[in-house]
Amino acid sequence: MNITLKQMSIFLLLWALTATCQDKCVVKPDAKPRVRVNATTAEGKKQLDLYAKGVKAMHGRAATDPTSWSYQAAMHGTYTTPVQPLWNTCQHGTYFFLSWHRMYIYFFEQLVRGASDPAFNLPYWDYDNPTSSTDPRLQLPAEFRNTSSPLYVSERNPSMNAGGYLPAGDVETNYSMSRMMFTCGATNWASSFGGKQVPSPIHFSSGFGALESLPHNAVHDDVGGWMSDPNTAAQDPIFWLHHANIDRLWDAWEKLDSGRTNNWDATWLDQKFYFFNEKKQQCYLTARDILDDAKQLGYTYENEKVPVPPTKVSCPPKKVTATTPRLLAELPPEKRTTLGAAPINVDIPVKETGLTPKKLTAAASPQRLVLTLDDIQFEKNPAVGYEIYLNLPKGEQPNYKSPYYAGTVHFFGLKHSREENHDAQLQFDVTDVVARLQKLGQWKDHVTVTYVPRGPTEPGKVAAAAEAKVAGTATIGRISLSEAD
């Protein structure tokens, strides 16, 4: 067989990318852990200067270079073809979400450090738990809004680039930090912190744990543009600071009051994920190698504290015998719900079994109740969230701190490519919401779900539950309230 010079060149290029070391990555943390700081502090701004330098240098590298900006972004997701080694390998909607992304940003940090300065440490965007709807921490850090900076991209929600504010309800940590278990297994993930248990890696599923739902998915949608699509998200420089904060919140959850449990299994602990090191070599790490970021990876965060949530959400109890979860209320799939620019109320027909066979208590319950939204469809990400309220009284102002609030619908990761679909389901553990409404005497034999669109607040305006600027229309098939499986 004759091989042309062109064919040989292509072969050598592919060999250089794929025939690299397939060994475990060598990680040599410094004796004293480096500190990832808040991007809006004085030290954080110094780090952003180094980050901008590194981003510019990585943009200047060939697209086939695994240490280039475009190659690293494509590892998370891309529409570019032909697909190169390790592209489209991110983990979403399963319990691998946090471990894969911790490794991803670790190696990225190494590459930026090599492209900028040995003193570089990836800062984090400290947006969580704001003091008001116009807390400056809800804004993109100023460097990302500077049109002359490598950190600026026009492909964002114009309000955010203009100094707008993330919705405060999207970044409060009570929703995620209230979860007591890392995973609740394969069938119920709304009650978990880390997501759905699966037998092997899945590029995309919809078994979002609480932290991936809020604030992770929410911030992606709110920033908008590239950030609202997993196949383009990592092209935006703010992506990496957002994920540094998500990684920090994982640490914060583990440091909260006792009772939170990392119930990992061998599948999660031993799964190999591959990345490129600074020598452009492929190597792998497992979750066992990254559990203690300070000792194993050599970094810590400037602040790893968050407020202790007022409630604790446990996993549903394991059933001794196989029984079918009881369905309390259901809106069948033929009556699709359309989400648009204004709030809507949807009545969910109650099943004959009734809603209140026994009293629930917010402190503890032998059974969890789950609100499930199935078959969510949209051609374009609406780029807003829809706050969900149960039995919101007429005239009551929607507020994520009210007893009626159950969670927020976000769309990031539900439809991850133009060519491929996957299950599009969201779950919300509403046990404590129902218990609160029972105490208020407002849980009768009816269920009304209210959807309130909430997007970034424009500069100079006050956040309000009014019509929102939506980039696309979404619909929901079946809506059900049932006992957790």
Side-chain angles (χ1 to χ4, degrees), residues 144-155:
F144 292 84
R145 293 180 272 131
N146 180 352
T147 56
S148 63
S149 171
L151 305 183
Y152 175 86
V153 296
S154 60
E155 292 82 359

Side-chain angles (χ1 to χ4, degrees), residues 337-345 384-387 450-454 465-470:
T337 299
T338 300
L339 303 178
I344 62 168
N345 296 317
V384 298
Y386 288 87
E387 294 173 349
T450 299
Y451 299 91
V452 179
R454 187 86 67 177
E467 292 194 355
K469 293 182 179 180
V470 298

Side-chain angles (χ1 to χ4, degrees), residues 410-423:
H410 274 283
F411 304 91
F412 183 83
L414 285 180
K415 185 179 180 182
H416 63 279
S417 77
R418 298 186 183 100
E419 295 82 20
E420 181 182 359
N421 290 317
H422 63 90
D423 56 320

Side-chain angles (χ1 to χ4, degrees), residues 280-292:
K280 306 181 185 180
Q281 298 171 323
Q282 286 187 42
C283 59
Y284 73 86
L285 290 177
T286 69
R288 292 186 190 274
D289 303 314
I290 55 92
L291 297 179
D292 189 325

Side-chain angles (χ1 to χ4, degrees), residues 350 354-356 391 434 437-438 440-448 481:
V350 173
L355 280 174
T356 55
N391 291 2
V434 174
L437 299 188
Q438 284 182 341
L440 292 171
Q442 296 183 21
W443 188 251
K444 308 295 183 182
D445 279 340
H446 80 280
V447 180
T448 298
L481 176 68

